[in-house]
Amino acid sequence: MRIDDLHAVRDTDLVADVCIIGSGPAGLTLATELAHSSLRVLVLESGGLEPTPENDDLDDIENVGAARAQPYSNARNRILGGSSHTWSGRCAPLDDLDFAARPWVPFSGWPIGFAEVKPYLDRAAAHLGLGYGSEFTGDRFWELADRNPPRPEVDRRWLRPYFWQISKDPADPFDAKRFGAHAAEISADNVRIVVNATVFHIDTDVDGTHVEALRVLDSSGTERLVRATRIVLATGGIENARLLLASNRIVPGGVGNRHDTVGRYLLDHRCGVVGALDPRTSAAARDRFGKYVVKTRGGKHTFLHGLALSPEIQAEEGLLNCALWIQEVPSEDDPWESVKNLLRGHLTMHDARTVASHPGLLLSGAKRRLIDNAGLPRKLEHVELRCMVEQTPDPNSRITLSDKTDHLGMPRPRIDWKVSAQEDRTVRRAAALVADEFARLGHTSPALREWVRGTSDLTAALTDWAHPTGSTRMSADPHTGVVDGDCRVHGMDNLYIAGSSVFPTNGHANPTLTIVALAVRLADRLRR
C-alpha cells in the first residue's frame, strides 16, 4: 500500500478498478476490506497527513436554518482518517425499530432491515477497536460482562436499559480509534492512497447514468483526471450531497439528482443537558448508570449505561427514539487526565502536582478499575443528565449550493437544517420518565432544566451533535431517495455512496458503527 501526495504524482491520468473518495471510517474500511483482492483500489483524500487552515476552510458552510452549535473544525476533518481525527469513539448499532416504517414518523423506513445489517456489525467492530459489534446494548450486556443485573429492574413499560461501547485505539488504550494513524498498516500492493487530492466534479455520460471520470485538484490547483470502473463517494454527511450537486456541468441538476432528492431529508442528532445531579448525593445512581469495564478476547473495553425509551411508549404516544445518560464533568484538577499523560510519557509539572495531591482518589480508582471493573472515580465539577434524540425526516431540511465558493472555486454547501416539535416533545417526555424512574429505583431524581418541564413554553435548549445524516438517503423508490438498498445511486451503474448520508432515519445511536458495517457490506458487493 502506498500513500502519495497528488502534487508529487507524475501520472497524468490515475486509473483504478475501485476509486474511493474520502478516507474517513467508511472510506478506509472499504480500502481495508478490499485489500489483497484482485481489484486495484485508489483512495482520494482532500486533506493531507496533518490538519491545515487551508484544508479546514474547505469545510466551511453557509447556514440558513436552525443554529448549529458544533464547530466544524472539531467535527469535519480534511485529513487522512476524516472525522475519526476528532470523534469521541462512542458506538452503538441502530435498533430494529429504526429500520421500520413507523406510521407516527413521516418518511420513516429503510429498504433493508436490521437483519441485513447485523451480520456485518462484528466485522465492523474489528475496524473500530470494539469488543463486540452487536447484542451488547440491552439485557445481554450483563451476560457479556459476567455480572448480575442490578435490582430493582427498570420499568420496561416506559424505559429500557441501554449501553454504548467506547472505541479503543490499538496504539493508545486511552483514545478512540484514529483511522488515519493506521492507514499505513493496510499492507496490500493493490491499495493506493493519494492525499491532497480534492475531487471537484464527477463527469458522467450525457444521460447521467455512468461516471466517466473524476476531476481532481492537487494542492497547487493543478487539475488531474481519475478514471475507475466503480466509484464510491465517502466524503461525509454534508460533502457527499455537496459534490453530487456541484457536479452539474453535464447533468444540470447534479449527479444522481433527476428527482430532486439529493441534499433533502437532512438529519442530525439533537442533544442537550436536560437535568443535573448533585455530585455529593448521586454516587449510587452514577454507579448503576455509569461506566463498566468488560473483559473480552481482545482485551478490556469500556461501556456506558443509560436509558432509552421503550418501543411500546414510542408507538403509543407517537414519540421518536431517544436515550439519556449521566455525564460526569470533571474539575480542572481531576487527577486522571494527568495519569493518562503520565502513562503516555507526556507528564508535565502541573500533572505531577495534580497526581501527588490526590492519592486517595487514585487508590480507589485503581481498585474500581482493576478489581471492580467499573469506571474511574473523578473529581467532579458537576453531574449532568444528557439526552440524544433522533430527528423527524423532513424533505425541506436540506443541503443546497451557496453562491459563495471556497478557494478552489467549489460552491459552499448551504445548510437549511430543520427541527421539529415532535423532537422537543419526545425529549420532555423522556426526561420526565427518567426523573420518575430514578425516584422509583431509590435514587435522588435529577433536577430537570426549566425548559424540559411539561408546563414550560421555553424553547428547547438542544443543539446538533455534528452527525449530519440522510442527505443521500436509501430508498426502494428513486422518487424518495438517492441510493438503493445496495448503496448504488438510483439510475446509475457504477456510482455508490458510503456513510451516514444514506441513512433514511438516524435513531438515537451514534452513527459510526452502522457506517462501518454498511461499508463492510458494500465491500463484499464490490468484491463480487
Side-chain angles (χ1 to χ4, degrees):
M1 194 277 300
R2 294 165 56 189
I3 300 179
D4 298 316
D5 190 306
L6 183 60
H7 186 66
V9 172
R10 295 293 169 246
D11 316 35
T12 304
D13 287 9
L14 293 168
V15 180
D17 296 312
V18 177
C19 179
I20 302 164
I21 308 172
S23 71
L28 287 184
T29 293
L30 277 161
T32 303
E33 288 286 328
L34 296 175
H36 304 291
S37 71
S38 61
L39 299 169
R40 294 169 299 167
V41 179
L42 174 65
V43 181
L44 301 177
E45 168 53 48
S46 176
L49 304 182
E50 298 292 338
T52 67
E54 293 79 15
N55 285 336
D56 287 343
D57 177 70
L58 296 176
D59 279 332
D60 198 11
I61 65 171
E62 179 186 354
N63 188 45
V64 297
R68 302 181 67 81
Q70 292 294 318
Y72 277 90
S73 60
N74 295 340
R76 297 167 63 217
N77 310 127
R78 295 264 179 158
I79 187 175
L80 184 64
S83 61
S84 73
H85 185 66
T86 52
W87 77 310
S88 68
R90 197 163 78 160
C91 292
L94 294 174
D95 294 323
D96 287 294
L97 65 89
D98 293 323
F99 293 85
R102 291 164 280 167
W104 64 95
V105 182
F107 304 104
S108 60
W110 293 48
I112 61 175
F114 178 73
E116 294 177 64
V117 177
K118 184 179 178 182
Y120 301 95
L121 290 169
D122 286 332
R123 287 168 62 185
H127 290 282
L128 287 164
L130 303 176
Y132 301 99
S134 63
E135 298 186 347
F136 63 81
T137 61
D139 290 332
R140 188 156 185 265
F141 169 81
W142 303 111
E143 178 185 339
L144 298 175
D146 193 25
R147 292 173 179 263
N148 293 320
R151 296 288 185 266
E153 285 193 12
V154 171
D155 191 334
R156 302 303 178 88
R157 293 174 299 172
W158 322 117
L159 299 164
R160 55 194 164 113
Y162 196 87
F163 296 87
W164 297 266
Q165 190 175 172
I166 309 302
S167 164
K168 182 171 69 172
D169 193 291
D172 186 348
F174 302 114
D175 203 3
K177 172 76 176 284
R178 308 295 171 196
F179 278 73
H182 299 278
E185 297 168 11
I186 306 175
S187 56
D189 293 336
N190 68 310
V191 177
R192 184 182 189 183
I193 298 174
V194 178
V195 298
N196 293 311
T198 301
V199 179
F200 71 94
H201 198 274
I202 301 170
D203 287 358
T204 68
D205 58 7
V206 294
D207 297 322
T209 61
H210 180 85
V211 176
E212 301 280 4
L214 303 172
R215 297 189 178 272
V216 189
L217 295 175
D218 66 18
S219 55
S220 68
T222 301
E223 183 178 322
R224 311 289 185 90
L225 283 183
V226 171
R227 303 183 192 276
T229 306
R230 285 165 288 180
I231 297 90
V232 181
L233 187 53
T235 60
I238 291 174
E239 295 300 317
N240 282 348
R242 177 193 188 185
L243 181 54
L244 291 175
L245 292 170
S247 299
N248 54 17
R249 297 179 181 179
I250 299 168
V251 183
V255 171
N257 197 31
R258 57 178 46 88
H259 299 296
D260 190 28
T261 49
V262 171
R264 292 188 181 273
Y265 301 97
L266 175 65
L267 306 165
D268 207 305
H269 283 125
R270 295 184 68 199
C271 301
V273 178
V274 296
L277 295 158
D278 188 333
R280 299 165 298 179
T281 60
S282 60
R286 288 185 281 116
D287 279 347
R288 175 164 181 169
F289 298 106
K291 290 182 178 178
Y292 293 79
V293 179
V294 177
K295 296 178 181 177
T296 73
R297 285 178 293 180
K300 290 186 174 183
H301 290 85
T302 301
F303 294 75
L304 172 65
H305 186 6
L307 292 167
L309 289 177
S310 71
E312 292 77 17
I313 195 172
Q314 291 182 52
E316 290 169 8
E317 300 189 13
L319 304 176
L320 299 163
N321 211 348
C322 181
L324 300 96
W325 68 96
I326 292 174
Q327 186 73 37
E328 296 181 332
V329 180
S331 62
E332 289 187 3
D333 61 339
D334 175 63
W336 288 108
E337 287 303 318
S338 298
V339 169
K340 290 178 184 179
N341 289 335
L342 170 64
L343 296 176
R344 288 167 170 157
H346 304 311
L347 190 70
T348 65
M349 285 302 297
H350 168 77
D351 291 325
R353 287 193 295 269
T354 301
V355 169
S357 300
H358 299 86
L361 191 62
L362 295 174
L363 184 62
S364 64
K367 174 181 179 298
R368 283 176 60 87
R369 186 76 175 186
L370 300 175
I371 299 174
D372 301 334
N373 289 317
L376 296 171
R378 314 299 294 258
K379 185 175 182 182
L380 299 175
E381 184 71 27
H382 52 273
V383 180
E384 300 170 342
L385 180 66
R386 294 187 181 179
C387 78
M388 185 180 292
V389 63
E390 76 166 314
Q391 281 207 276
T392 311
D394 180 352
N396 294 316
S397 181
R398 65 185 302 195
I399 299 167
T400 56
L401 296 179
S402 171
D403 296 330
K404 302 174 184 177
T405 60
D406 61 29
H407 63 266
L408 295 179
M410 191 169 177
R412 294 199 184 277
R414 177 184 287 123
I415 309 298
D416 189 2
W417 179 49
K418 307 290 188 186
V419 300
S420 79
Q422 188 177 25
E423 297 147 19
D424 298 347
R425 182 167 61 87
T426 296
V427 168
R428 289 184 168 104
R429 180 69 168 130
L433 287 169
V434 168
D436 290 345
E437 187 65 7
F438 268 44
R440 192 188 68 83
L441 294 173
H443 304 304
T444 302
S445 291
L448 297 182
R449 295 286 176 90
E450 186 177 351
W451 68 265
V452 180
R453 297 167 194 164
T455 57
S456 175
D457 57 0
L458 296 175
T459 301
L462 299 171
T463 68
D464 70 295
W465 210 241
H467 294 163
T469 306
S471 60
T472 64
R473 70 195 318 247
M474 188 186 296
S475 68
D477 182 353
H479 293 83
T480 59
V482 178
V483 301
D484 63 17
D486 286 332
C487 294
R488 185 169 64 182
V489 174
H490 286 300
M492 302 194 71
D493 62 3
N494 68 336
L495 179 60
Y496 299 78
I497 300 180
S500 62
S501 67
V502 306
F503 294 13
T505 54
N506 62 347
H508 71 70
N510 302 62
T512 307
L513 178 53
T514 302
I515 288 172
V516 173
L518 289 175
V520 174
R521 179 175 178 264
L522 177 55
D524 281 0
R525 280 148 175 75
L526 294 173
R527 191 163 35 243
R528 288 199 295 267

PDB file of all heavy atoms in Angstrom, residues 26 236-238 240 467-473 498-505 511-512 515 518:
ATOM      1  N   ALA A  26     -15.587   5.224   6.818  1.00  0.00           N
ATOM      2  CA  ALA A  26     -16.201   4.478   5.708  1.00  0.00           C
ATOM      3  C   ALA A  26     -15.175   4.180   4.632  1.00  0.00           C
ATOM      4  O   ALA A  26     -15.035   3.041   4.170  1.00  0.00           O
ATOM      5  CB  ALA A  26     -17.383   5.251   5.136  1.00  0.00           C
ATOM      6  N   GLY A 236     -18.669  12.106   3.653  1.00  0.00           N
ATOM      7  CA  GLY A 236     -19.378  12.609   4.826  1.00  0.00           C
ATOM      8  C   GLY A 236     -20.788  13.056   4.536  1.00  0.00           C
ATOM      9  O   GLY A 236     -21.211  13.195   3.381  1.00  0.00           O
ATOM     10  N   GLY A 237     -21.546  13.299   5.609  1.00  0.00           N
ATOM     11  CA  GLY A 237     -22.972  13.565   5.509  1.00  0.00           C
ATOM     12  C   GLY A 237     -23.324  14.849   4.788  1.00  0.00           C
ATOM     13  O   GLY A 237     -24.431  14.981   4.254  1.00  0.00           O
ATOM     14  N   ILE A 238     -22.420  15.816   4.749  1.00  0.00           N
ATOM     15  CA  ILE A 238     -22.654  17.062   4.025  1.00  0.00           C
ATOM     16  C   ILE A 238     -21.947  17.051   2.668  1.00  0.00           C
ATOM     17  O   ILE A 238     -22.526  17.387   1.641  1.00  0.00           O
ATOM     18  CB  ILE A 238     -22.203  18.274   4.864  1.00  0.00           C
ATOM     19  CG1 ILE A 238     -23.144  18.453   6.062  1.00  0.00           C
ATOM     20  CG2 ILE A 238     -22.157  19.550   4.024  1.00  0.00           C
ATOM     21  CD1 ILE A 238     -22.724  19.530   7.044  1.00  0.00           C
ATOM     22  N   ASN A 240     -20.957  14.584   0.712  1.00  0.00           N
ATOM     23  CA  ASN A 240     -21.490  13.696  -0.318  1.00  0.00           C
ATOM     24  C   ASN A 240     -22.531  14.416  -1.173  1.00  0.00           C
ATOM     25  O   ASN A 240     -22.480  14.384  -2.410  1.00  0.00           O
ATOM     26  CB  ASN A 240     -22.128  12.456   0.319  1.00  0.00           C
ATOM     27  CG  ASN A 240     -21.101  11.427   0.757  1.00  0.00           C
ATOM     28  OD1 ASN A 240     -19.927  11.510   0.401  1.00  0.00           O
ATOM     29  ND2 ASN A 240     -21.529  10.446   1.530  1.00  0.00           N
ATOM     30  N   HIS A 467     -23.608  15.111  13.595  1.00  0.00           N
ATOM     31  CA  HIS A 467     -23.880  13.822  12.959  1.00  0.00           C
ATOM     32  C   HIS A 467     -24.760  14.034  11.724  1.00  0.00           C
ATOM     33  O   HIS A 467     -25.875  13.522  11.670  1.00  0.00           O
ATOM     34  CB  HIS A 467     -24.601  12.877  13.933  1.00  0.00           C
ATOM     35  CG  HIS A 467     -23.792  12.461  15.116  1.00  0.00           C
ATOM     36  ND1 HIS A 467     -24.374  11.902  16.244  1.00  0.00           N
ATOM     37  CD2 HIS A 467     -22.462  12.508  15.367  1.00  0.00           C
ATOM     38  CE1 HIS A 467     -23.429  11.629  17.133  1.00  0.00           C
ATOM     39  NE2 HIS A 467     -22.260  11.983  16.622  1.00  0.00           N
ATOM     40  N   PRO A 468     -24.306  14.791  10.728  1.00  0.00           N
ATOM     41  CA  PRO A 468     -25.167  15.026   9.557  1.00  0.00           C
ATOM     42  C   PRO A 468     -25.482  13.717   8.842  1.00  0.00           C
ATOM     43  O   PRO A 468     -24.600  12.913   8.579  1.00  0.00           O
ATOM     44  CB  PRO A 468     -24.334  15.968   8.692  1.00  0.00           C
ATOM     45  CG  PRO A 468     -22.915  15.748   9.129  1.00  0.00           C
ATOM     46  CD  PRO A 468     -22.992  15.426  10.587  1.00  0.00           C
ATOM     47  N   THR A 469     -26.747  13.525   8.547  1.00  0.00           N
ATOM     48  CA  THR A 469     -27.266  12.232   8.102  1.00  0.00           C
ATOM     49  C   THR A 469     -28.382  12.466   7.089  1.00  0.00           C
ATOM     50  O   THR A 469     -29.042  13.494   7.118  1.00  0.00           O
ATOM     51  CB  THR A 469     -27.847  11.475   9.338  1.00  0.00           C
ATOM     52  OG1 THR A 469     -26.855  11.400  10.360  1.00  0.00           O
ATOM     53  CG2 THR A 469     -28.303  10.071   8.992  1.00  0.00           C
ATOM     54  N   GLY A 470     -28.594  11.505   6.201  1.00  0.00           N
ATOM     55  CA  GLY A 470     -29.834  11.450   5.430  1.00  0.00           C
ATOM     56  C   GLY A 470     -29.859  12.178   4.111  1.00  0.00           C
ATOM     57  O   GLY A 470     -30.831  12.058   3.359  1.00  0.00           O
ATOM     58  N   SER A 471     -28.821  12.929   3.752  1.00  0.00           N
ATOM     59  CA  SER A 471     -28.905  13.808   2.579  1.00  0.00           C
ATOM     60  C   SER A 471     -28.756  13.081   1.247  1.00  0.00           C
ATOM     61  O   SER A 471     -28.980  13.674   0.191  1.00  0.00           O
ATOM     62  CB  SER A 471     -27.846  14.914   2.679  1.00  0.00           C
ATOM     63  OG  SER A 471     -26.547  14.355   2.745  1.00  0.00           O
ATOM     64  N   THR A 472     -28.380  11.799   1.280  1.00  0.00           N
ATOM     65  CA  THR A 472     -28.416  10.946   0.074  1.00  0.00           C
ATOM     66  C   THR A 472     -29.086   9.625   0.467  1.00  0.00           C
ATOM     67  O   THR A 472     -28.552   8.560   0.275  1.00  0.00           O
ATOM     68  CB  THR A 472     -27.008  10.683  -0.499  1.00  0.00           C
ATOM     69  OG1 THR A 472     -26.231   9.940   0.447  1.00  0.00           O
ATOM     70  CG2 THR A 472     -26.295  11.977  -0.826  1.00  0.00           C
ATOM     71  N   ARG A 473     -30.267   9.716   1.018  1.00  0.00           N
ATOM     72  CA  ARG A 473     -30.906   8.609   1.725  1.00  0.00           C
ATOM     73  C   ARG A 473     -31.170   7.399   0.829  1.00  0.00           C
ATOM     74  O   ARG A 473     -31.350   7.493  -0.384  1.00  0.00           O
ATOM     75  CB  ARG A 473     -32.209   9.077   2.372  1.00  0.00           C
ATOM     76  CG  ARG A 473     -33.315   9.389   1.386  1.00  0.00           C
ATOM     77  CD  ARG A 473     -34.459  10.196   1.990  1.00  0.00           C
ATOM     78  NE  ARG A 473     -34.884   9.807   3.311  1.00  0.00           N
ATOM     79  CZ  ARG A 473     -36.070   9.271   3.605  1.00  0.00           C
ATOM     80  NH1 ARG A 473     -36.942   9.019   2.637  1.00  0.00           N
ATOM     81  NH2 ARG A 473     -36.384   8.996   4.835  1.00  0.00           N
ATOM     82  N   ALA A 498     -21.183   5.776   0.476  1.00  0.00           N
ATOM     83  CA  ALA A 498     -20.984   5.195   1.804  1.00  0.00           C
ATOM     84  C   ALA A 498     -21.050   6.305   2.841  1.00  0.00           C
ATOM     85  O   ALA A 498     -20.708   7.451   2.567  1.00  0.00           O
ATOM     86  CB  ALA A 498     -19.638   4.483   1.877  1.00  0.00           C
ATOM     87  N   GLY A 499     -21.503   5.961   4.036  1.00  0.00           N
ATOM     88  CA  GLY A 499     -21.552   6.930   5.120  1.00  0.00           C
ATOM     89  C   GLY A 499     -22.955   7.193   5.611  1.00  0.00           C
ATOM     90  O   GLY A 499     -23.936   6.644   5.099  1.00  0.00           O
ATOM     91  N   SER A 500     -23.078   8.069   6.610  1.00  0.00           N
ATOM     92  CA  SER A 500     -24.373   8.318   7.245  1.00  0.00           C
ATOM     93  C   SER A 500     -25.345   9.046   6.339  1.00  0.00           C
ATOM     94  O   SER A 500     -26.545   9.094   6.626  1.00  0.00           O
ATOM     95  CB  SER A 500     -24.178   9.123   8.533  1.00  0.00           C
ATOM     96  OG  SER A 500     -23.600  10.391   8.255  1.00  0.00           O
ATOM     97  N   SER A 501     -24.877   9.621   5.231  1.00  0.00           N
ATOM     98  CA  SER A 501     -25.807  10.319   4.336  1.00  0.00           C
ATOM     99  C   SER A 501     -26.818   9.364   3.719  1.00  0.00           C
ATOM    100  O   SER A 501     -27.845   9.811   3.226  1.00  0.00           O
ATOM    101  CB  SER A 501     -25.044  11.062   3.237  1.00  0.00           C
ATOM    102  OG  SER A 501     -24.396  10.175   2.354  1.00  0.00           O
ATOM    103  N   VAL A 502     -26.556   8.039   3.758  1.00  0.00           N
ATOM    104  CA  VAL A 502     -27.517   7.086   3.170  1.00  0.00           C
ATOM    105  C   VAL A 502     -28.584   6.661   4.170  1.00  0.00           C
ATOM    106  O   VAL A 502     -29.526   5.958   3.805  1.00  0.00           O
ATOM    107  CB  VAL A 502     -26.814   5.832   2.593  1.00  0.00           C
ATOM    108  CG1 VAL A 502     -25.722   6.223   1.619  1.00  0.00           C
ATOM    109  CG2 VAL A 502     -26.273   4.914   3.688  1.00  0.00           C
ATOM    110  N   PHE A 503     -28.484   7.064   5.448  1.00  0.00           N
ATOM    111  CA  PHE A 503     -29.466   6.642   6.448  1.00  0.00           C
ATOM    112  C   PHE A 503     -30.810   7.346   6.190  1.00  0.00           C
ATOM    113  O   PHE A 503     -30.877   8.574   6.231  1.00  0.00           O
ATOM    114  CB  PHE A 503     -29.031   7.029   7.863  1.00  0.00           C
ATOM    115  CG  PHE A 503     -27.810   6.345   8.407  1.00  0.00           C
ATOM    116  CD1 PHE A 503     -26.953   5.614   7.607  1.00  0.00           C
ATOM    117  CD2 PHE A 503     -27.501   6.446   9.756  1.00  0.00           C
ATOM    118  CE1 PHE A 503     -25.828   4.997   8.128  1.00  0.00           C
ATOM    119  CE2 PHE A 503     -26.378   5.844  10.295  1.00  0.00           C
ATOM    120  CZ  PHE A 503     -25.531   5.120   9.474  1.00  0.00           C
ATOM    121  N   PRO A 504     -31.915   6.613   6.026  1.00  0.00           N
ATOM    122  CA  PRO A 504     -33.227   7.273   5.925  1.00  0.00           C
ATOM    123  C   PRO A 504     -33.710   7.850   7.257  1.00  0.00           C
ATOM    124  O   PRO A 504     -34.406   8.858   7.281  1.00  0.00           O
ATOM    125  CB  PRO A 504     -34.163   6.157   5.450  1.00  0.00           C
ATOM    126  CG  PRO A 504     -33.266   5.120   4.860  1.00  0.00           C
ATOM    127  CD  PRO A 504     -32.008   5.193   5.675  1.00  0.00           C
ATOM    128  N   THR A 505     -33.379   7.174   8.365  1.00  0.00           N
ATOM    129  CA  THR A 505     -33.643   7.679   9.712  1.00  0.00           C
ATOM    130  C   THR A 505     -32.377   7.471  10.525  1.00  0.00           C
ATOM    131  O   THR A 505     -31.528   6.637  10.181  1.00  0.00           O
ATOM    132  CB  THR A 505     -34.822   6.947  10.395  1.00  0.00           C
ATOM    133  OG1 THR A 505     -34.575   5.532  10.354  1.00  0.00           O
ATOM    134  CG2 THR A 505     -36.137   7.250   9.686  1.00  0.00           C
ATOM    135  N   PRO A 511     -23.646   7.269  14.897  1.00  0.00           N
ATOM    136  CA  PRO A 511     -23.776   6.576  13.616  1.00  0.00           C
ATOM    137  C   PRO A 511     -22.593   5.734  13.174  1.00  0.00           C
ATOM    138  O   PRO A 511     -22.724   4.926  12.247  1.00  0.00           O
ATOM    139  CB  PRO A 511     -23.985   7.736  12.630  1.00  0.00           C
ATOM    140  CG  PRO A 511     -23.269   8.892  13.253  1.00  0.00           C
ATOM    141  CD  PRO A 511     -23.474   8.726  14.739  1.00  0.00           C
ATOM    142  N   THR A 512     -21.413   5.868  13.806  1.00  0.00           N
ATOM    143  CA  THR A 512     -20.204   5.319  13.191  1.00  0.00           C
ATOM    144  C   THR A 512     -20.220   3.800  13.065  1.00  0.00           C
ATOM    145  O   THR A 512     -19.751   3.251  12.059  1.00  0.00           O
ATOM    146  CB  THR A 512     -18.961   5.775  13.963  1.00  0.00           C
ATOM    147  OG1 THR A 512     -18.983   7.202  14.070  1.00  0.00           O
ATOM    148  CG2 THR A 512     -17.696   5.367  13.242  1.00  0.00           C
ATOM    149  N   ILE A 515     -22.248   3.041  10.062  1.00  0.00           N
ATOM    150  CA  ILE A 515     -21.496   3.489   8.885  1.00  0.00           C
ATOM    151  C   ILE A 515     -20.485   2.430   8.462  1.00  0.00           C
ATOM    152  O   ILE A 515     -20.395   2.046   7.292  1.00  0.00           O
ATOM    153  CB  ILE A 515     -20.774   4.814   9.179  1.00  0.00           C
ATOM    154  CG1 ILE A 515     -21.762   5.972   9.269  1.00  0.00           C
ATOM    155  CG2 ILE A 515     -19.712   5.113   8.118  1.00  0.00           C
ATOM    156  CD1 ILE A 515     -21.127   7.276   9.753  1.00  0.00           C
ATOM    157  N   LEU A 518     -22.099  -0.884   7.161  1.00  0.00           N
ATOM    158  CA  LEU A 518     -22.570  -0.738   5.783  1.00  0.00           C
ATOM    159  C   LEU A 518     -21.400  -0.676   4.800  1.00  0.00           C
ATOM    160  O   LEU A 518     -21.513  -1.137   3.661  1.00  0.00           O
ATOM    161  CB  LEU A 518     -23.437   0.503   5.643  1.00  0.00           C
ATOM    162  CG  LEU A 518     -24.824   0.445   6.301  1.00  0.00           C
ATOM    163  CD1 LEU A 518     -25.526   1.790   6.178  1.00  0.00           C
ATOM    164  CD2 LEU A 518     -25.691  -0.665   5.687  1.00  0.00           C
TER     165      LEU A 518
END
